[in-house]
Amino acid sequence: MAAAGGLRRGLLLAVPWRWRCSPRRGAAGCLPAGQVRAAFLRFFEERHGHRRLPSAPVRPRGDPRLLFVNAGMNQFKPIFLGTVHPRSELAQHRRVVNSQKCVRAGGKHNDLEDVGRDTYHHTFFEMLGNWSFGDYFKEEACSMAWELLTEVYEIPKDRLYVTYFAGDSSLGLSADEECRDVWLCLGVPASHVLPFPLKDNFWEMGDTGPCGPCTEIHYDHVGGGRNAAALVNQGSPDVVEIWNLVFMQYSREVEGNLLPLPQHHVDTGMGLERLVTVLQNKRSNYDTDLFTPILDAIHKGCGGPRYQGLVGDADVGRVNMAYRVVADHVRALCVCITDGIYPGFSGAELVLRRILRRAVRFCSEVLHAPPGLLASLVPTVVEVLGDAYPELTKNADQIMDVINENEAAFLSSLERGRRIIERTVQQMEPSTNFPAEVAWSLYGNLGFPLDLIDLMLEEKGISLDSAAFNELALEGAKRKAGGPQAGQLDDTNTHLDVHSLAQLQSNNVPATDDSPKYAYTVGQHGQYEFSPCQATVLMLYRDQSLQKEVGAGQRCGVILDRTNFYAEQGGQASDQGYMIHLGQQAQRLACMTNHTATHLLNFALRHVLGDNTEQRGSHVTAERLRFDFDTKGPVTVEQLQQVEQVVQDVIKRNEVVHTAEVPLMLARRVQGLRAVDEGYPDPVRIVSLGVPVESVLTCDSEAAMQTSVELCCGTHLLQTGAMEDLAIISERQLVKGISRVIAVTGRQAKQAREAGQCLAMEVDSVSLRMKERSTSIPEMQNLSKEVGQLTKMVASTPMPQWQRKELQTILKVLQRTANTAVKKLEMQQAEEKAQSVLAKHCNQPVIVDTVPADSLSILMKVVNQLCDKSPGTSVLLLSPQASGEVLCACQVSKNCLPVFSAADWAVAVCTQMEGKAGGSPVVAKGSGNAKGMQGALTAALEFAQSKLLK
């Protein structure tokens, strides 16, 4: 019977099921992780009719609340919420299976600081999952799971325990006896079917939204016929959860109550790492073949002791923890960088920066590995994961480059931070706390890890002013929270909830026809004419319910049978206007202009920078357009000029903008098609500049390679000439590997070019005056200030970015020239004054005198010159100013140290003048009031003599 069952599975699944991987056996011959993953996918695809989908990228699509994709269900949220486009591919799914790349670091699900301390936490992991969208439910889901685990993977049934929801009287929810009975019918002993409360067996997507009871399958690593029911959900490492099956049957409302969902869904998730640990008879995820090749590569790269799997106090020197941190983090880095998340300064990019820096620290400080170890592990990660996620293989070189460059930057920041800490400690008064503002600057600006600051201060017997630091951190958090989006709540009257959507569908209320948004033409004189749209009000929406009427003055949503308004999507801002009046046509036209310009810019960037230039994001408003794209480095001045020229050429040709709806499968065959990672409806709209859509759809046609062809639902110009002009007014790297350009069109582009020309003329004027080489210090200082002001204006004025870069280069040279000229003139003046003073005080050990000087800088140079010409002499000079202030500068001969300190000398003198001073034992400077100058001269001489006589 068993043989027949094995043959049946082999025929159905078309995979070699002759392997045996029972935990009762040794590790030899156990199924590799890659085959464990493949067996899961094939089981659901071939045995139970699921559609296999690729993993979504770990950068969330259309969900700003998430930093990373942290569960397999993220990409299916529109289905659960009822907001999926009815014509999209997503809406056609009924049964789905995949292995999803997930990252849990930052945000609600944050495992970062736990990684390395134990043997099972990870930042990156793979979630095996199967889903039913309104198809099968509890009985089938549990049956499939039990079949896979016990018949395909051959896990002993007596090692498995299942849990179900015990109910919650406060919510009016009874126990999930349906689920319990399913497990009992499948033959699971009653002693292995366990009820648990809300916190363990009720899954929720968030504070609101779809949710439901879940059933978990737990595995007992010890076995041996014992009953381990008492250890389930108790945090025991011997009994661990391996699979969670969620039955989405409720929706959590804003008020906290639960309502039944119109459709029931199944969402399951099983961590591949834990499953492989079970099937390979291991107790640690890091002992499986998902990690051992990486751990071996770490050992080879650092040359230290091998990984032994030790934790806690047994892990002397945290060496084993370092192995786990580095192995885990390099996997996360590879996956995130491949999916377009690069180390940066906010959001997911900031989290990835911390992951990278944590890995670098463990490499250098614990494993004592040479720089570059982290990047050297990338080929091993690709070898382990590349078959499942081929995008890793494609991007291996880029991943290594990003890691190496960020590691070098971090090591440089660490060295700078150490120097700042050393210098600050030297200047501190004894028995004081380390200043919080310095620690905050190190942490915020240099990315210096807080625990490393604490460690370095602890080694010096100094503590951080934690209260002050926490206050600064709180202020920083408040500033971030106080941005333009702060405090803005979603308008509940403009977002239909899942129940209202279902009610509309059940009442056969048709989806709003928004095709009139494309109903516009060009009039006789070239102006755009928008056709008015008459519509019928079908329903009103207020306070999360559909209503036939609302009272005067109340805000509500209006559901129409048709509309010519454009709702924000595809990166284009939504229309604004009134239902009775014609609406804001100027705003719509500006959005259309900038959207067409975005397509044209995308094409021009690829044309100039190469076909590997991929779009990473865009946003179109009436005022401007923003476009993010992959790049290996900053775009040069010449490349920016070329991009603008390509755009202007198409504008001059006044190309026709062609649009058509075509089947999605046909559209995706177009060579050179630009499409971003989005779910598209079927049929989908193609926008082609200058080439009819029929031509780009022709088999083997390369027409799309020569122009802009994109999938897009946005509104566009009918001909490119209406754009008039495009100017790129900003280009910068967001993070390593991604650049952002901002551009304007039409009248704004013309204004930007005019502003650029005006500033260029001013820069030319300063340049000419600089060449005249004035011998007056004030004149050169004024020129230097003028250059500084122009630099600020060039940086902040909207103008073509290529011109900004050119002018900034010129201004940098002018600033250096002016500063050098000022220093040279000051040196000449200082030398003349020093000769005069030296003649007056020939061969004296101490010189105290007054000297006319226009600035403290000149006075300090006079002091330096005197000490250079008379090496054994200590000098203090005062210089009265027209304002009534007295400048002070001094330098002490090194022969007089440490008895005689320049800083103490300057303080004593400036105190006499009711002023302040500071500096080092060798040089110091300060200022005071002219009324006390005579007394200060006397005090200066007496102070010096008292020190030299000791």
Side-chain angles (χ1 to χ4, degrees):
M1 192 72 179
L7 178 61
R8 173 177 60 82
R9 289 193 300 276
L11 290 170
L12 282 170
L13 299 173
V15 292
W17 296 117
R18 295 176 182 173
W19 51 269
R20 293 290 184 270
C21 196
S22 167
R24 293 169 295 181
R25 297 173 176 266
C30 283
L31 197 67
Q35 291 187 36
V36 173
R37 185 193 299 110
F40 181 93
L41 297 172
R42 289 186 178 183
F43 172 80
F44 283 100
E45 182 181 23
E46 299 180 12
R47 177 74 180 86
H48 292 289
H50 288 59
R51 182 174 180 183
R52 185 195 298 197
L53 295 182
S55 170
V58 293
R59 177 185 286 278
R61 179 200 297 162
D63 192 342
R65 293 170 294 182
L66 278 181
L67 292 174
F68 304 94
V69 165
N70 57 22
M73 53 71 62
N74 289 160
Q75 65 176 307
F76 305 118
K77 282 174 74 171
I79 298 178
F80 301 140
L81 293 169
T83 58
V84 64
H85 194 295
R87 292 187 325 193
S88 68
E89 285 181 295
L90 202 58
Q92 314 311 313
H93 297 326
R94 290 294 174 266
R95 298 182 175 205
V96 166
V97 63
N98 85 340
S99 178
Q100 174 62 47
K101 299 175 290 187
C102 298
V103 174
R104 288 188 179 173
K108 179 181 176 183
H109 299 287
N110 185 3
D111 292 346
L112 180 56
E113 292 305 319
D114 291 321
V115 171
R117 301 181 191 279
D118 53 41
T119 61
Y120 51 87
H121 273 101
H122 301 292
T123 50
F124 163 74
F125 64 97
E126 297 179 66
M127 184 74 86
L128 302 173
N130 61 289
W131 289 267
S132 164
F133 306 119
D135 189 353
Y136 61 80
F137 204 44
K138 296 178 183 179
E139 182 177 355
E140 296 90 337
C142 295
S143 176
M144 292 175 198
W146 193 250
E147 179 186 1
L148 177 66
L149 294 179
T150 61
E151 296 183 33
V152 175
Y153 290 137
E154 295 187 332
I155 297 175
K157 296 178 182 178
D158 63 353
R159 296 268 190 114
L160 298 174
Y161 295 79
V162 297
T163 65
Y164 67 94
F165 178 49
D168 189 292
S169 57
S170 66
L171 291 172
L173 295 176
S174 57
D176 192 357
E177 295 177 354
E178 178 188 358
C179 177
R180 179 200 63 189
D181 293 344
V182 168
W183 287 119
L184 294 174
C185 288
L186 287 170
V188 183
S191 61
H192 285 221
V193 182
L194 312 170
F196 280 92
L198 193 81
K199 70 181 182 69
D200 295 307
N201 276 77
F202 196 90
W203 188 91
E204 304 201 45
M205 185 186 295
D207 295 333
T208 61
C211 55
C214 63
T215 181
E216 296 176 342
I217 304 175
H218 296 249
Y219 174 77
D220 177 17
H221 277 286
V222 177
R226 71 171 185 165
N227 188 322
L231 298 178
V232 172
N233 278 337
Q234 298 304 311
S236 169
D238 294 335
V239 180
V240 296
E241 175 207 336
I242 58 172
W243 204 346
N244 186 13
L245 286 63
V246 179
F247 307 121
M248 291 199 187
Q249 58 190 95
Y250 301 106
S251 174
R252 173 80 71 178
E253 302 302 297
V254 175
E255 296 80 10
N257 60 308
L258 296 174
L259 293 178
L261 280 174
Q263 263 197 330
H264 290 174
H265 308 296
V266 173
D267 163 22
T268 87
M270 176 161 55
L272 175 67
E273 291 77 10
R274 284 195 182 181
L275 177 62
V276 172
T277 299
V278 168
L279 296 180
Q280 294 186 356
N281 199 29
K282 305 294 184 182
R283 295 299 298 273
S284 161
N285 296 353
Y286 292 92
D287 291 337
T288 68
D289 63 347
L290 286 167
F291 288 92
T292 50
I294 305 171
L295 295 170
D296 290 342
I298 295 171
H299 170 67
K300 184 178 179 182
C302 70
R306 282 190 174 277
Y307 176 69
Q308 297 174 286
L310 303 175
V311 296
D313 293 339
D315 183 18
V316 179
R318 301 194 303 167
V319 171
N320 289 266
M321 178 179 176
Y323 266 98
R324 290 188 289 269
V325 167
V326 175
D328 171 90
H329 288 9
V330 74
R331 284 169 28 114
L333 287 164
C334 288
V335 168
C336 288
I337 292 169
T338 293
D339 285 350
I341 302 174
Y342 299 84
F345 298 96
S346 64
E349 285 77 13
L350 176 60
V351 175
L352 195 66
R353 181 175 181 243
R354 288 175 179 159
I355 290 173
L356 186 143
R357 292 187 165 201
R358 189 169 187 252
V360 169
R361 281 188 58 204
F362 275 97
C363 281
S364 61
E365 296 171 15
V366 180
L367 297 176
H368 306 294
L373 170 65
L374 200 59
S376 75
L377 303 174
V378 172
T380 308
V381 176
V382 171
E383 186 179 334
V384 174
L385 298 175
D387 287 344
Y389 310 109
E391 61 270 22
L392 288 170
T393 306
K394 178 184 174 184
N395 293 286
D397 290 341
Q398 183 196 19
I399 297 168
M400 294 173 72
D401 288 344
V402 171
I403 290 176
N404 276 328
E405 288 172 12
N406 279 273
E407 178 182 26
F410 179 48
L411 292 175
S412 173
S413 294
L414 282 181
E415 190 53 42
R416 285 171 60 199
R418 287 191 176 97
R419 288 198 300 269
I420 290 170
I421 290 174
E422 293 286 349
R423 190 164 64 245
T424 305
V425 169
Q426 287 174 6
Q427 295 173 358
M428 283 171 54
E429 295 290 334
S431 305
T432 57
N433 286 333
F434 190 82
E437 59 273 13
V438 176
W440 178 250
S441 177
L442 288 169
Y443 176 73
N445 297 333
L446 285 183
F448 207 88
L450 189 56
D451 61 332
L452 186 56
I453 296 174
D454 286 333
L455 185 64
M456 291 182 67
L457 294 179
E458 185 182 326
E459 291 169 354
K460 298 177 184 298
I462 299 170
S463 59
L464 174 63
D465 186 347
S466 299
F469 182 89
N470 291 336
E471 194 173 320
L472 289 171
L474 190 61
E475 288 175 8
K478 285 180 179 176
R479 277 196 300 272
K480 283 185 179 179
Q485 302 302 319
Q488 292 184 6
L489 301 174
D490 285 343
D491 187 345
T492 56
N493 293 327
T494 58
H495 294 83
L496 289 168
D497 66 286
V498 64
H499 302 291
S500 298
L501 285 165
Q503 185 180 337
L504 289 169
Q505 290 166 2
S506 65
N507 293 341
N508 295 317
V509 176
T512 302
D513 174 16
D514 65 349
S515 60
K517 67 188 178 187
Y518 300 124
Y520 47 86
T521 58
V522 177
Q524 282 185 330
H525 304 291
Q527 79 282 8
Y528 273 73
E529 296 177 350
F530 295 86
S531 301
C533 174
Q534 288 190 334
T536 302
V537 176
L538 302 178
M539 195 71 69
L540 302 176
Y541 183 69
R542 176 176 169 78
D543 296 335
Q544 291 192 297
S545 68
L546 297 169
Q547 301 179 15
K548 292 290 186 180
E549 60 182 37
V550 297
Q554 292 183 320
R555 291 175 61 88
C556 68
V558 180
I559 300 169
L560 305 173
D561 65 334
R562 59 201 305 267
T563 180
N564 59 356
F565 278 73
Y566 184 86
E568 181 166 356
Q569 56 183 322
Q572 179 178 328
S574 60
D575 284 340
Q576 299 175 11
Y578 302 91
M579 286 189 291
I580 297 174
H581 300 293
L582 292 179
Q584 295 183 352
Q585 295 183 1
Q587 198 247 2
R588 160 70 84 84
L589 181 56
C591 280
M592 288 163 49
T593 302
N594 287 342
H595 203 154
T596 304
T598 303
H599 284 218
L600 193 43
L601 181 63
N602 188 2
F603 166 71
L605 285 165
R606 288 168 67 97
H607 182 78
V608 173
L609 303 179
D611 289 337
N612 291 329
T613 307
E614 294 290 343
Q615 177 178 344
R616 287 294 182 184
S618 67
H619 190 242
V620 175
T621 66
E623 291 75 31
R624 63 181 192 173
L625 64 96
R626 186 196 77 209
F627 191 81
D628 302 339
F629 58 97
D630 286 338
T631 177
K632 291 186 176 180
V635 185
T636 66
V637 167
E638 292 75 18
Q639 288 170 331
L640 286 169
Q641 288 175 312
Q642 290 169 16
V643 169
E644 283 192 3
Q645 190 59 55
V646 170
V647 173
Q648 286 160 5
D649 287 346
V650 178
I651 292 172
K652 287 175 184 174
R653 292 200 300 269
N654 198 21
E655 301 279 17
V656 174
V657 179
H658 300 274
T659 62
E661 281 199 347
V662 300
L664 184 58
M665 187 176 295
L666 188 61
R668 282 184 166 155
R669 294 176 187 166
V670 174
Q671 294 188 52
L673 177 76
R674 258 75 75 194
V676 294
D677 176 45
E678 281 187 8
Y680 290 100
D682 190 7
V684 68
R685 195 163 180 263
I686 288 184
V687 178
S688 173
L689 303 190
V691 179
V693 174
E694 309 83 65
S695 299
V696 301
L697 291 174
T698 304
C699 187
D700 298 326
S701 170
E702 295 187 0
M705 307 289 284
Q706 313 304 321
T707 187
S708 167
V709 180
E710 298 193 28
L711 304 182
C712 181
C713 59
T715 55
H716 288 269
L717 296 175
L718 299 177
Q719 289 183 264
T720 59
M723 205 180 301
E724 296 179 3
D725 193 5
L726 177 141
I728 297 171
I729 59 172
S730 172
E731 183 276 325
R732 64 185 179 94
Q733 282 204 298
L734 294 178
V735 292
K736 187 67 182 176
I738 296 184
S739 277
R740 167 171 290 176
V741 295
I742 293 173
V744 291
T745 57
R747 182 174 54 83
Q748 286 179 289
K750 182 182 178 183
Q751 289 172 344
R753 295 195 189 282
E754 289 172 351
Q757 289 302 315
C758 290
L759 285 170
M761 290 171 65
E762 290 191 46
V763 171
D764 287 342
S765 171
V766 173
S767 187
L768 286 171
R769 282 179 283 148
M770 194 78 75
K771 289 176 182 177
E772 294 172 2
R773 298 283 180 176
S774 171
T775 56
S776 164
I777 291 177
E779 281 186 20
M780 289 308 298
Q781 286 175 331
N782 287 336
L783 272 177
S784 178
K785 287 179 183 177
E786 195 174 337
V787 170
Q789 290 167 350
L790 270 174
T791 300
K792 289 180 181 178
M793 289 177 66
V794 167
S796 62
T797 302
M799 62 188 295
Q801 181 68 7
W802 64 263
Q803 191 171 32
R804 190 194 318 278
K805 286 190 172 186
E806 279 190 347
L807 295 180
Q808 285 173 332
T809 301
I810 295 169
L811 287 167
K812 278 182 183 177
V813 174
L814 291 176
Q815 192 71 71
R816 275 199 305 269
T817 303
N819 293 344
T820 302
V822 169
K823 286 179 183 177
K824 190 174 180 181
L825 291 170
E826 286 183 346
M827 288 296 290
Q828 290 173 355
Q829 197 178 102
E831 190 167 0
E832 293 170 3
K833 293 180 186 296
Q835 290 287 6
S836 173
V837 173
L838 200 58
K840 184 178 174 183
H841 301 276
C842 188
N843 298 322
Q844 292 184 20
V846 176
I847 296 176
V848 175
D849 207 340
T850 60
V851 171
D854 293 332
S855 66
L856 190 55
S857 173
I858 296 174
L859 188 64
M860 197 76 241
K861 286 182 174 66
V862 176
V863 170
N864 297 151
Q865 291 269 359
L866 284 167
C867 291
D868 287 344
K869 295 177 186 297
S870 180
T873 301
S874 297
V875 180
L876 185 144
L877 298 179
L878 300 180
S879 180
Q881 304 294 300
S883 63
E885 183 185 28
V886 176
L887 306 178
C888 171
C890 66
Q891 182 170 335
V892 169
S893 170
K894 291 182 180 178
N895 299 335
C896 302
L897 298 174
V899 176
F900 194 4
S901 164
D904 294 342
W905 196 13
V907 168
V909 171
C910 290
T911 302
Q912 284 285 327
M913 300 186 293
E914 299 178 349
K916 292 182 179 180
S920 70
V922 178
V923 295
K925 56 190 175 182
S927 63
N929 195 302
K931 292 178 182 178
M933 189 174 76
Q934 289 304 318
L937 290 168
T938 303
L941 199 55
E942 288 176 353
F943 184 94
Q945 289 171 345
S946 70
K947 297 296 180 183
L948 295 175
L949 290 173
K950 287 184 179 179

